[in-house]
Amino acid sequence: MSNQSEDDVRVWLVERTYSDDEQNLIILTYATPDGEQYYRKERALTSFTDVRDTTAAVDAEPGNLGMVDDPDLQEQYAAEAQRM
């Protein structure tokens, strides 16, 4: 993120899915190491020449994080985040 602040939270890539609703849309889900919060990024696959790096971790503003309410999903996200 270009406007990083000291309050930003490091989140790790835990899931990548393709949208059922729209073609050429990938949904990247990042989570905190404890799996309790997530950050979602949608990316359109418009062109092979459109270069956008997908990194293992990003820094997200706390206000852009959602809560993971499902304990099983929280456990899965925590395991994936720690694996990254």
Side-chain angles (χ1 to χ4, degrees), residues 60-74:
E61 293 179 18
N64 290 334
L65 296 175
M67 295 301 296
V68 179
D69 296 326
D70 180 332
D72 291 335
L73 190 57
Q74 193 177 94

Side-chain angles (χ1 to χ4, degrees), residues 7-47:
D7 295 332
D8 286 353
V9 177
R10 175 64 48 109
V11 289
W12 299 88
L13 183 62
V14 295
E15 190 174 66
R16 181 180 62 195
T17 56
Y18 294 95
S19 174
D20 292 333
D21 300 335
E22 297 182 41
Q23 281 188 314
N24 298 325
L25 187 67
I26 291 181
I27 300 165
L28 302 172
T29 303
Y30 293 83
T32 54
D34 59 13
E36 292 181 6
Q37 295 179 295
Y38 72 94
Y39 173 70
R40 191 173 138 162
K41 226 176 172 179
E42 294 181 354
R43 181 164 291 164
L45 298 175
T46 55
S47 165

Side-chain angles (χ1 to χ4, degrees), residues 12-15 75-84:
W12 299 88
L13 183 62
V14 295
E15 190 174 66
E75 187 177 315
Q76 176 188 336
Y77 282 179
E80 286 298 320
Q82 292 171 24
R83 189 173 68 86
M84 281 293 181

